Amino acid sequence: MTTISINNDQITAQFKTLGAELFSLKDKNNKEFIWEGDPNFWGKHSPILFPIVGSLKNNTFEYNGNSYSLPRHGFARELTFEVIDKKEDSVTFSLQSNEETLKKYPFSFELQLSYTLIGSSLHLGYKVINTSDTVLPFSIGGHPAFALPKAFDSYQLQFDGLDSLTFNLLEEGLISDQTKTIEIPNQQLNLEYPLFENDALVFKNIPSKSVTILEENQPILKVNYADFPDLGVWTPVNAPFICIEPWFGYSDTPNNSGKIIEKEGIQMVEPNSFFESNYTITLL
């Protein structure tokens, strides 16, 4: 596995070719903002979720009368990407379908992940290219984990423009129809572990398009995700990090038909076309 670094005069970012995963983001004072990946809590840093987000019902889907199996969040995070462009302040990775991916996901594709530093921001770009002659169904999402070195309840999440949050509850990893609404005075959600006792908070079509992490009410980092309709927020109980996850799509519902082209939240790319989206992490 190779590691890649990019930098400018304000921040430095590092990536693994395995999963094209961001594993370090530091400011000019050498402060680290990405979770270290301690496997006692969670051994990842910022994996890419593709070609599904979340879990499939029975971990399977149907296409053209055949059944296929995919693990939670898909397979891209476990595969080695190729570096196809590298500059001092940017890098682009590529993953192409192959014999092994076609056994699990019968579609030809190229997935490109690009990372670009502009000022104190890291821009993360996703490009899904349909290289087949059939429609390409997929979901895609980010899963960056941000380090919280102080006590968990020292932190708040600010959701721009919202005074309440409504999220769908999970049942054994699947999205239920049951929702919960919580008030957030001053647009701020105080972080506390009981929020995550039932796994992630999943927001379908969330109106707010940015989340700011505050440390003792002082903003330290902002995630802007204007392109993305859905959002996950997650941490394991007692872990010193928070994940802010922009998504296109989410887990299956319990009453899902199993057919991937009917999956709620699925995206479609026509043959010889592509999908693009991006989000930004800004150090404040």
Side-chain angles (χ1 to χ4, degrees):
M1 181 184 64
T2 305
T3 61
I4 306 291
S5 295
I6 59 175
N7 65 85
N8 64 11
D9 60 354
Q10 296 191 49
I11 48 180
T12 299
Q14 291 183 282
F15 311 88
K16 302 174 182 180
T17 52
L18 180 64
E21 184 179 12
L22 168 71
F23 71 90
S24 177
L25 185 63
K26 294 181 179 180
D27 65 14
K28 58 187 175 183
N29 297 318
N30 211 38
K31 179 182 177 181
E32 179 64 77
F33 287 83
I34 298 296
W35 163 242
E36 67 186 48
D38 180 350
N40 289 320
F41 291 107
W42 187 57
K44 299 286 188 180
H45 311 272
S46 180
I48 175 72
L49 313 183
F50 178 88
I52 58 168
V53 171
S55 298
L56 296 172
K57 187 178 178 181
N58 300 319
N59 294 317
T60 61
F61 70 89
E62 290 183 22
Y63 180 71
N64 277 353
N66 295 313
S67 182
Y68 301 88
S69 180
L70 280 177
R72 181 175 175 83
H73 294 323
F75 51 66
R77 59 183 180 165
E78 305 297 345
L79 299 179
T80 298
F81 284 63
E82 176 188 0
V83 176
I84 59 172
D85 186 67
K86 170 71 170 67
K87 299 181 177 66
E88 184 178 8
D89 59 359
S90 67
V91 62
T92 301
F93 297 90
S94 170
L95 176 70
Q96 297 190 40
S97 53
N98 56 44
E99 246 181 71
E100 290 306 308
T101 67
L102 290 169
K103 291 175 184 175
K104 305 172 186 176
Y105 177 69
F107 305 97
S108 297
F109 68 87
E110 181 182 2
L111 171 61
Q112 293 182 5
L113 303 185
S114 63
Y115 300 92
T116 305
L117 299 177
I118 301 176
S120 62
S121 296
L122 172 65
H123 294 253
L124 301 90
Y126 297 162
K127 187 174 186 178
V128 180
I129 305 167
N130 186 351
T131 56
S132 72
D133 56 4
T134 59
V135 170
L136 177 71
F138 71 95
S139 287
I140 193 166
H143 201 314
F146 300 107
L148 304 181
K150 295 188 177 180
F152 193 70
D153 59 7
S154 301
Y155 295 89
Q156 303 81 35
L157 300 182
Q158 180 175 305
F159 291 81
D160 288 356
L162 299 185
D163 53 18
S164 67
L165 292 170
T166 299
F167 54 92
N168 285 73
L169 301 180
L170 291 167
E171 290 180 6
E172 297 180 355
L174 302 182
I175 298 287
S176 75
D177 292 330
Q178 187 178 355
T179 62
K180 183 176 180 180
T181 299
I182 51 178
E183 302 301 316
I184 50 169
N186 303 316
Q187 304 177 356
Q188 292 181 17
L189 174 67
N190 295 320
L191 288 184
E192 47 190 39
Y193 289 121
L195 284 168
F196 304 98
E197 286 178 341
N198 192 43
D199 208 337
L201 309 183
V202 177
F203 304 95
K204 296 181 184 179
N205 297 308
I206 185 167
S208 177
K209 293 304 175 184
S210 69
V211 173
T212 302
I213 300 176
L214 294 85
E215 184 180 84
E216 296 174 344
N217 295 303
Q218 297 300 310
I220 59 171
L221 180 148
K222 188 170 190 174
V223 182
N224 291 277
Y225 48 92
D227 284 359
F228 290 75
D230 312 307
L231 186 74
V233 178
W234 174 77
T235 191
V237 173
N238 298 325
F241 66 85
I242 190 72
C243 294
I244 299 173
E245 310 173 38
W247 294 343
F248 277 88
Y250 32 79
S251 291
D252 274 352
T253 58
N255 58 358
N256 185 274
S257 71
K259 296 178 180 179
I260 194 166
I261 59 173
E262 297 176 357
K263 178 175 166 57
E264 191 176 300
I266 202 74
Q267 307 299 307
M268 302 283 192
V269 179
E270 294 297 321
N272 303 307
S273 187
F274 62 86
F275 161 99
E276 283 187 298
S277 64
N278 66 83
Y279 72 97
T280 302
I281 300 169
T282 301
L283 307 185
L284 303 174

Short mmCIF file of all heavy atoms in Angstrom, two decimals, residues 8-11 117-123:
data_model
loop_
_atom_site.label_atom_id
_atom_site.label_comp_id
_atom_site.label_asym_id
_atom_site.label_seq_id
_atom_site.Cartn_x
_atom_site.Cartn_y
_atom_site.Cartn_z
N ASN A 8 -0.52 22.67 0.74
CA ASN A 8 -0.34 24.06 0.35
C ASN A 8 0.19 24.81 1.57
O ASN A 8 0.68 24.18 2.51
CB ASN A 8 -1.65 24.66 -0.22
CG ASN A 8 -2.78 24.74 0.81
OD1 ASN A 8 -2.56 24.56 2.02
ND2 ASN A 8 -3.99 25.02 0.35
N ASP A 9 0.11 26.13 1.59
CA ASP A 9 0.72 26.86 2.70
C ASP A 9 -0.14 26.84 3.96
O ASP A 9 0.28 27.37 5.00
CB ASP A 9 1.01 28.31 2.29
CG ASP A 9 -0.24 29.08 1.87
OD1 ASP A 9 -1.32 28.47 1.78
OD2 ASP A 9 -0.13 30.30 1.63
N GLN A 10 -1.34 26.19 3.90
CA GLN A 10 -2.20 26.18 5.07
C GLN A 10 -2.50 24.79 5.62
O GLN A 10 -2.69 24.64 6.82
CB GLN A 10 -3.53 26.88 4.75
CG GLN A 10 -3.36 28.37 4.42
CD GLN A 10 -4.67 29.10 4.38
OE1 GLN A 10 -5.50 28.98 5.27
NE2 GLN A 10 -4.88 29.87 3.32
N ILE A 11 -2.58 23.79 4.74
CA ILE A 11 -2.92 22.45 5.20
C ILE A 11 -2.16 21.38 4.43
O ILE A 11 -1.69 21.60 3.32
CB ILE A 11 -4.45 22.15 5.11
CG1 ILE A 11 -5.00 22.56 3.74
CG2 ILE A 11 -5.21 22.82 6.20
CD1 ILE A 11 -6.49 22.29 3.60
N LEU A 117 -6.65 20.87 -2.56
CA LEU A 117 -6.52 21.85 -1.49
C LEU A 117 -6.66 23.25 -2.06
O LEU A 117 -5.98 23.61 -3.02
CB LEU A 117 -5.16 21.72 -0.80
CG LEU A 117 -4.86 20.38 -0.13
CD1 LEU A 117 -3.44 20.39 0.44
CD2 LEU A 117 -5.86 20.06 0.96
N ILE A 118 -7.57 24.04 -1.48
CA ILE A 118 -7.73 25.44 -1.84
C ILE A 118 -7.83 26.23 -0.55
O ILE A 118 -8.81 26.10 0.20
CB ILE A 118 -8.97 25.68 -2.71
CG1 ILE A 118 -8.89 24.85 -4.00
CG2 ILE A 118 -9.12 27.16 -3.04
CD1 ILE A 118 -10.13 24.95 -4.88
N GLY A 119 -6.79 27.02 -0.25
CA GLY A 119 -6.77 27.75 1.01
C GLY A 119 -6.80 26.78 2.18
O GLY A 119 -6.02 25.82 2.23
N SER A 120 -7.74 26.97 3.10
CA SER A 120 -7.85 26.09 4.27
C SER A 120 -8.90 25.00 4.06
O SER A 120 -9.40 24.42 5.02
CB SER A 120 -8.20 26.90 5.51
OG SER A 120 -9.44 27.54 5.35
N SER A 121 -9.24 24.72 2.79
CA SER A 121 -10.27 23.73 2.47
C SER A 121 -9.71 22.56 1.67
O SER A 121 -8.82 22.74 0.84
CB SER A 121 -11.41 24.37 1.67
OG SER A 121 -12.08 25.36 2.42
N LEU A 122 -10.28 21.38 1.92
CA LEU A 122 -10.05 20.20 1.10
C LEU A 122 -11.33 19.92 0.34
O LEU A 122 -12.39 19.69 0.94
CB LEU A 122 -9.68 19.00 1.98
CG LEU A 122 -9.58 17.65 1.26
CD1 LEU A 122 -8.45 17.63 0.24
CD2 LEU A 122 -9.40 16.51 2.26
N HIS A 123 -11.24 19.94 -1.00
CA HIS A 123 -12.38 19.64 -1.86
C HIS A 123 -12.30 18.18 -2.28
O HIS A 123 -11.28 17.75 -2.84
CB HIS A 123 -12.38 20.56 -3.08
CG HIS A 123 -12.61 22.01 -2.74
ND1 HIS A 123 -13.79 22.66 -3.01
CD2 HIS A 123 -11.80 22.91 -2.13
CE1 HIS A 123 -13.69 23.92 -2.58
NE2 HIS A 123 -12.50 24.09 -2.04
#
